[in-house]
Amino acid sequence: MPEKSKVSENSSRKVYIRTFGCQMNEYDSEVMAALLQESGFELTQDINRADFIVINTCYVREKVKHKVFSFLGELKKIKMQKPHVLLGVGGCLAQKEPHQLIEKAPFVDIIWGTLNLDELPELVKGAREKGFPIVKVKEKGFLPDDFSTIRKKRFSIYVPVIRGCNNFCSYCNVPYVRGREKSRSMDSILKEIEKAVAGGCKEVILLGQNVNSYGKDLPEKIDFATLLSEVNKLPGLCRIRFTTSHPKDLSGGLIVAMAKLKKVCEHLHLPLQAGSNRILKLMRRGYRRETYLELVDKLREYVPDVSLTTDLIVGFPGETEADFQDTLNMVKRVRFDGAFTFIYSSLFGTRAAELENQIPTNVKKERLRQLIQLQQKITQEKNKSYLEKELEVLVEGTSPKNPDELEGRTRHNKMVIFPGDTSLVGELVRVKIMQAGCWALRGEPKS
Ligand code: SF4
């Protein structure tokens, strides 16, 4: 490996940021972009022009870890050719396994975690001065409430309201990589949204690994429904979305708020994970399927046209055919608009990884196939109910498949594709739905 050379002070320093994982990581990358810009870097989308390459990692499943390491393999080649280029790794994998990371990728210059990303400019300075790897991860603690950001999309933004998770579901890494729940002050959240609305933002997506726990740790004990009603009052904002909810914390007050508050969109993502009470117990989810059904029925009573999506895991250790049938029956009973479906993947350090009766891969794959087949049929049927309807769409950009077409989302979080030009990006438009597929609706713009 060629000798590491210090990056000279006066070169125009460009930074390239690659993000793996969830919306919270997307937001953290927008924060890192602002922190680095404030310390003199210029953002570039071209990795070959970068003097500093940042990887914001995810560690929600083993598969993602492999993706991160194969990307690091590519970066090793860049480092060999251009030793002055700094490589930095942050995010959840760095938070959980910093030393394994530097062992496997000794060519990386800086490693930081999810709880100290605010220290990034200092760490870059240190790495440039010292010329050898800096590994700094905080075991515990909290990030400050306020950050500047460089937004990917001006018209639709992510805003974290609570970070961390106290639930410790037995298959999940999040509590180990994001720490304990910490709510931001309401004032800090409202200020961030007001500033974005002044800059042309129309939609805000409130983020948290468990948004429903918002406020429980704050001295003034405000709840998530109260926060929603305050955000709803902000002039100029058109839409409010939020993710992710936990069924055990989904309050009646939140359901009423979804029904009453005009700007809160008619979509809820409510992970069920499994249909069997025995498996829900082993997962430490903290609710039974009967409770979940009561919540769904109440939600549909207050918000009749609500679009409901979920997360489902098949092949959890010990899952019998009967348990799996319970999951299929819940899917038939609830009729979700959509579902993110996963094969259980054992993660080192989680309780479930210690469980016996790990399910053979071929059985897991077959169950996933059956689940996807059932859910796609239901999604298709539900999407058909939008035919001939005129819907409000927030235009997000041109369709990746056809540059003459635009794509955007309805208040029910349905993707809509329709002909139009890029001047409409970021605008709210009306579209009449002419076709209903499984993944997207297609329509004609209405004046
Ligand atoms: S609530 Fe969600 S983030 Fe928290 S431990 Fe459970 S699955 Fe993970």
Side-chain angles (χ1 to χ4, degrees):
M1 173 68 69
E3 181 48 40
K4 287 199 170 137
S5 62
K6 294 182 184 149
V7 177
S8 57
E9 278 296 332
N10 52 17
S11 62
S12 64
R13 297 167 299 142
K14 294 190 174 22
V15 59
Y16 171 90
I17 301 177
R18 170 76 185 274
T19 308
F20 289 82
C22 66
Q23 298 105 325
M24 192 66 89
N25 256 14
E26 291 289 346
Y27 179 83
D28 287 352
S29 291
E30 294 179 342
V31 167
M32 292 190 239
L35 287 168
L36 293 169
Q37 193 180 64
E38 282 151 19
S39 63
F41 278 94
E42 193 191 316
L43 289 184
T44 177
Q45 300 309 321
D46 178 355
I47 195 168
N48 299 310
R49 298 183 61 214
D51 302 289
F52 182 24
I53 299 173
V54 168
I55 316 175
N56 190 5
T57 62
C58 166
Y59 195 7
V60 74
R61 261 172 288 283
E62 280 303 317
K63 216 162 78 188
V64 188
K65 185 174 163 183
H66 301 315
K67 275 195 198 150
V68 168
F69 277 110
S70 76
F71 184 58
L72 275 171
E74 287 166 40
L75 296 187
K76 185 177 180 185
K77 297 184 200 121
I78 294 179
K79 188 79 180 176
M80 302 288 274
Q81 291 148 8
K82 300 189 273 182
H84 81 277
V85 171
L86 276 186
L87 299 183
V89 181
C92 295
L93 180 59
Q95 176 71 30
K96 181 128 185 226
E97 300 182 353
H99 303 297
Q100 293 88 327
L101 242 170
I102 205 70
E103 234 167 73
K104 272 194 167 164
F107 49 87
V108 167
D109 301 288
I110 318 168
I111 293 180
W112 63 94
T114 56
L115 304 175
N116 67 326
L117 65 87
D118 53 325
E119 295 175 6
L120 186 52
E122 277 319 296
L123 297 174
V124 173
K125 205 155 156 283
R128 286 173 46 228
E129 281 152 12
K130 296 198 180 68
F132 56 76
I134 295 198
V135 178
K136 182 148 187 239
V137 166
K138 263 193 193 167
E139 287 306 314
K140 51 182 185 300
F142 302 110
L143 287 171
D145 264 6
D146 299 318
F147 280 112
S148 326
T149 52
I150 297 184
R151 300 287 181 185
K152 267 216 175 126
K153 286 188 281 186
R154 177 184 48 74
F155 53 87
S156 175
I157 64 165
Y158 296 129
V159 172
V161 297
I162 181 170
R163 286 174 178 268
C165 187
N166 297 352
N167 290 321
F168 289 92
C169 301
S170 61
Y171 53 84
C172 184
N173 234 352
V174 171
Y176 307 101
V177 293
R178 289 278 178 183
R180 296 292 65 68
E181 286 173 8
K182 164 92 175 29
S183 301
R184 282 176 71 185
S185 73
M186 184 136 79
D187 196 41
S188 153
I189 295 165
L190 295 176
K191 278 210 180 72
E192 180 168 359
I193 301 172
E194 274 168 338
K195 188 165 160 246
V197 170
C201 172
K202 292 194 174 58
E203 176 182 78
V204 62
I205 302 158
L206 305 177
L207 294 183
Q209 272 81 26
N210 183 6
V211 285
N212 307 27
S213 284
Y214 177 77
K216 287 185 180 165
D217 57 315
L218 291 176
E220 60 274 36
K221 294 270 174 280
I222 40 180
D223 66 6
F224 187 57
T226 312
L227 174 66
L228 278 180
S229 67
E230 291 306 312
V231 175
N232 190 68
K233 291 179 189 152
L234 294 176
L237 185 67
C238 307
R239 287 180 169 187
I240 304 170
R241 298 182 183 283
F242 57 91
T243 194
T244 299
S245 295
H246 193 298
K248 82 173 175 41
D249 299 315
L250 183 65
S251 65
L254 178 54
I255 293 176
V256 172
M258 286 189 73
K260 263 190 8 202
L261 302 175
K262 293 239 165 326
K263 298 175 184 176
V264 175
C265 290
E266 297 75 18
H267 167 243
L268 181 69
H269 186 67
L270 191 65
L272 168 66
Q273 303 298 8
S276 148
N277 285 336
R278 197 179 67 81
I279 297 294
L280 287 172
K281 195 149 190 263
L282 287 171
M283 286 178 164
R284 295 170 53 88
R285 286 293 288 169
Y287 54 84
R288 294 168 56 80
R289 68 166 172 270
E290 291 79 9
T291 322
Y292 191 94
L293 289 174
E294 280 160 25
L295 286 170
V296 170
D297 293 345
K298 185 166 184 186
L299 182 67
R300 286 178 171 158
E301 185 195 328
Y302 281 80
V303 192
D305 68 336
V306 70
S307 161
L308 186 62
T309 55
T310 195
D311 295 341
L312 293 164
I313 296 174
V314 296
F316 188 81
E319 184 186 67
T320 62
E321 186 54 32
D323 294 321
F324 175 58
Q325 289 305 322
D326 285 341
T327 297
L328 294 181
N329 292 337
M330 277 295 275
V331 169
K332 288 175 193 155
R333 165 69 173 75
V334 176
R335 291 182 60 74
F336 295 103
D337 285 77
F340 296 98
T341 54
F342 307 96
I343 280 184
Y344 168 75
S345 106
S346 171
L347 269 173
F348 175 75
T350 59
R351 281 188 178 85
E354 313 296 320
L355 290 174
E356 280 159 16
N357 301 328
Q358 300 282 335
I359 308 294
T361 306
N362 62 331
V363 175
K364 286 197 247 188
K365 285 191 173 155
E366 171 52 21
R367 288 178 182 169
L368 186 70
R369 188 195 63 72
Q370 290 179 36
L371 177 59
I372 290 175
Q373 192 181 38
L374 171 63
Q375 183 54 54
Q376 284 184 351
K377 182 171 159 295
I378 293 171
T379 300
Q380 178 80 50
E381 288 161 6
K382 300 212 82 163
N383 283 354
K384 281 212 172 76
S385 68
Y386 292 95
L387 284 173
E388 302 296 317
K389 288 209 175 118
E390 208 181 279
L391 302 175
E392 178 203 78
V393 174
L394 176 58
V395 185
E396 295 182 7
T398 51
S399 159
K401 294 201 184 92
N402 177 348
D404 301 329
E405 291 185 321
L406 299 173
E407 62 175 28
R409 287 177 190 279
T410 68
R411 290 176 61 94
H412 298 84
N413 205 34
K414 301 283 175 181
M415 180 60 85
V416 178
I417 298 168
F418 61 100
D421 69 61
T422 52
S423 64
L424 293 176
V425 174
E427 299 304 321
L428 287 165
V429 299
R430 313 276 317 157
V431 178
K432 182 167 183 189
I433 305 304
M434 313 306 283
Q435 286 174 43
C438 192
W439 308 113
L441 308 174
R442 297 183 75 84
E444 293 298 325
K446 301 303 289 177
S447 47

PDB file of all heavy atoms in Angstrom, residues 49 115 119 190 217 232 246-247 257 299 421 432:
ATOM      1  N   ARG A  49     -13.800  12.766  -9.003  1.00  0.00           N
ATOM      2  CA  ARG A  49     -13.252  14.128  -8.781  1.00  0.00           C
ATOM      3  C   ARG A  49     -13.093  14.415  -7.289  1.00  0.00           C
ATOM      4  O   ARG A  49     -12.643  15.474  -6.891  1.00  0.00           O
ATOM      5  CB  ARG A  49     -14.185  15.164  -9.409  1.00  0.00           C
ATOM      6  CG  ARG A  49     -14.312  15.000 -10.934  1.00  0.00           C
ATOM      7  CD  ARG A  49     -15.176  16.065 -11.555  1.00  0.00           C
ATOM      8  NE  ARG A  49     -14.597  17.400 -11.317  1.00  0.00           N
ATOM      9  CZ  ARG A  49     -15.354  18.504 -11.124  1.00  0.00           C
ATOM     10  NH1 ARG A  49     -16.671  18.398 -11.104  1.00  0.00           N
ATOM     11  NH2 ARG A  49     -14.781  19.686 -10.922  1.00  0.00           N
ATOM     12  N   LEU A 115     -23.477   8.596  16.662  1.00  0.00           N
ATOM     13  CA  LEU A 115     -23.688   9.498  17.808  1.00  0.00           C
ATOM     14  C   LEU A 115     -22.669  10.627  17.849  1.00  0.00           C
ATOM     15  O   LEU A 115     -22.712  11.479  18.734  1.00  0.00           O
ATOM     16  CB  LEU A 115     -23.660   8.694  19.115  1.00  0.00           C
ATOM     17  CG  LEU A 115     -24.656   7.534  19.196  1.00  0.00           C
ATOM     18  CD1 LEU A 115     -24.451   6.732  20.475  1.00  0.00           C
ATOM     19  CD2 LEU A 115     -26.091   8.042  19.082  1.00  0.00           C
ATOM     20  N   GLU A 119     -18.856  15.627  14.889  1.00  0.00           N
ATOM     21  CA  GLU A 119     -17.411  15.852  15.060  1.00  0.00           C
ATOM     22  C   GLU A 119     -16.648  15.684  13.743  1.00  0.00           C
ATOM     23  O   GLU A 119     -15.424  15.787  13.705  1.00  0.00           O
ATOM     24  CB  GLU A 119     -16.855  14.849  16.091  1.00  0.00           C
ATOM     25  CG  GLU A 119     -17.408  15.041  17.491  1.00  0.00           C
ATOM     26  CD  GLU A 119     -16.918  13.941  18.440  1.00  0.00           C
ATOM     27  OE1 GLU A 119     -16.076  13.124  18.002  1.00  0.00           O
ATOM     28  OE2 GLU A 119     -17.388  13.902  19.579  1.00  0.00           O
ATOM     29  N   LEU A 190     -39.845  22.765  14.753  1.00  0.00           N
ATOM     30  CA  LEU A 190     -40.683  23.746  14.048  1.00  0.00           C
ATOM     31  C   LEU A 190     -39.813  24.761  13.310  1.00  0.00           C
ATOM     32  O   LEU A 190     -40.098  25.128  12.166  1.00  0.00           O
ATOM     33  CB  LEU A 190     -41.620  24.437  15.039  1.00  0.00           C
ATOM     34  CG  LEU A 190     -42.667  23.527  15.707  1.00  0.00           C
ATOM     35  CD1 LEU A 190     -43.475  24.308  16.737  1.00  0.00           C
ATOM     36  CD2 LEU A 190     -43.582  22.887  14.673  1.00  0.00           C
ATOM     37  N   ASP A 217     -39.629  11.484  26.645  1.00  0.00           N
ATOM     38  CA  ASP A 217     -38.417  11.792  27.422  1.00  0.00           C
ATOM     39  C   ASP A 217     -38.256  13.288  27.630  1.00  0.00           C
ATOM     40  O   ASP A 217     -37.283  13.727  28.239  1.00  0.00           O
ATOM     41  CB  ASP A 217     -37.184  11.227  26.695  1.00  0.00           C
ATOM     42  CG  ASP A 217     -37.069  11.773  25.270  1.00  0.00           C
ATOM     43  OD1 ASP A 217     -38.121  11.801  24.570  1.00  0.00           O
ATOM     44  OD2 ASP A 217     -35.986  12.200  24.853  1.00  0.00           O
ATOM     45  N   ASN A 232     -48.852  21.145  11.804  1.00  0.00           N
ATOM     46  CA  ASN A 232     -49.997  21.376  10.919  1.00  0.00           C
ATOM     47  C   ASN A 232     -50.357  22.862  10.818  1.00  0.00           C
ATOM     48  O   ASN A 232     -50.905  23.316   9.818  1.00  0.00           O
ATOM     49  CB  ASN A 232     -51.195  20.582  11.437  1.00  0.00           C
ATOM     50  CG  ASN A 232     -52.353  20.567  10.447  1.00  0.00           C
ATOM     51  OD1 ASN A 232     -52.256  19.965   9.380  1.00  0.00           O
ATOM     52  ND2 ASN A 232     -53.440  21.245  10.802  1.00  0.00           N
ATOM     53  N   HIS A 246     -44.814   2.376  15.732  1.00  0.00           N
ATOM     54  CA  HIS A 246     -44.791   1.074  16.391  1.00  0.00           C
ATOM     55  C   HIS A 246     -46.183   0.811  16.947  1.00  0.00           C
ATOM     56  O   HIS A 246     -46.708   1.645  17.696  1.00  0.00           O
ATOM     57  CB  HIS A 246     -43.783   1.055  17.541  1.00  0.00           C
ATOM     58  CG  HIS A 246     -43.501  -0.331  18.032  1.00  0.00           C
ATOM     59  ND1 HIS A 246     -44.472  -1.134  18.584  1.00  0.00           N
ATOM     60  CD2 HIS A 246     -42.362  -1.052  18.028  1.00  0.00           C
ATOM     61  CE1 HIS A 246     -43.938  -2.297  18.909  1.00  0.00           C
ATOM     62  NE2 HIS A 246     -42.667  -2.281  18.584  1.00  0.00           N
ATOM     63  N   PRO A 247     -46.792  -0.340  16.602  1.00  0.00           N
ATOM     64  CA  PRO A 247     -48.185  -0.583  17.027  1.00  0.00           C
ATOM     65  C   PRO A 247     -48.404  -0.417  18.535  1.00  0.00           C
ATOM     66  O   PRO A 247     -49.434   0.096  18.964  1.00  0.00           O
ATOM     67  CB  PRO A 247     -48.407  -2.038  16.597  1.00  0.00           C
ATOM     68  CG  PRO A 247     -47.467  -2.248  15.467  1.00  0.00           C
ATOM     69  CD  PRO A 247     -46.259  -1.437  15.786  1.00  0.00           C
ATOM     70  N   ALA A 257     -55.780  12.586  15.439  1.00  0.00           N
ATOM     71  CA  ALA A 257     -55.009  13.663  14.785  1.00  0.00           C
ATOM     72  C   ALA A 257     -54.920  13.408  13.281  1.00  0.00           C
ATOM     73  O   ALA A 257     -55.088  14.320  12.470  1.00  0.00           O
ATOM     74  CB  ALA A 257     -53.606  13.731  15.392  1.00  0.00           C
ATOM     75  N   LEU A 299     -58.377   2.806  13.099  1.00  0.00           N
ATOM     76  CA  LEU A 299     -57.789   3.733  12.116  1.00  0.00           C
ATOM     77  C   LEU A 299     -58.728   3.890  10.930  1.00  0.00           C
ATOM     78  O   LEU A 299     -59.001   5.006  10.473  1.00  0.00           O
ATOM     79  CB  LEU A 299     -56.440   3.184  11.649  1.00  0.00           C
ATOM     80  CG  LEU A 299     -55.637   4.006  10.671  1.00  0.00           C
ATOM     81  CD1 LEU A 299     -55.153   5.306  11.304  1.00  0.00           C
ATOM     82  CD2 LEU A 299     -54.437   3.199  10.156  1.00  0.00           C
ATOM     83  N   ASP A 421     -43.690  18.121 -18.204  1.00  0.00           N
ATOM     84  CA  ASP A 421     -42.289  18.549 -18.283  1.00  0.00           C
ATOM     85  C   ASP A 421     -41.735  18.964 -16.920  1.00  0.00           C
ATOM     86  O   ASP A 421     -42.486  19.194 -15.965  1.00  0.00           O
ATOM     87  CB  ASP A 421     -42.111  19.659 -19.327  1.00  0.00           C
ATOM     88  CG  ASP A 421     -42.769  20.946 -18.870  1.00  0.00           C
ATOM     89  OD1 ASP A 421     -42.334  21.456 -17.807  1.00  0.00           O
ATOM     90  OD2 ASP A 421     -43.724  21.387 -19.513  1.00  0.00           O
ATOM     91  N   LYS A 432     -55.601  12.587 -13.329  1.00  0.00           N
ATOM     92  CA  LYS A 432     -56.707  11.612 -13.406  1.00  0.00           C
ATOM     93  C   LYS A 432     -56.106  10.234 -13.673  1.00  0.00           C
ATOM     94  O   LYS A 432     -55.321  10.061 -14.612  1.00  0.00           O
ATOM     95  CB  LYS A 432     -57.676  11.981 -14.525  1.00  0.00           C
ATOM     96  CG  LYS A 432     -58.858  11.015 -14.581  1.00  0.00           C
ATOM     97  CD  LYS A 432     -59.974  11.512 -15.438  1.00  0.00           C
ATOM     98  CE  LYS A 432     -61.128  10.515 -15.378  1.00  0.00           C
ATOM     99  NZ  LYS A 432     -62.162  10.846 -16.357  1.00  0.00           N
TER     100      LYS A 432
END
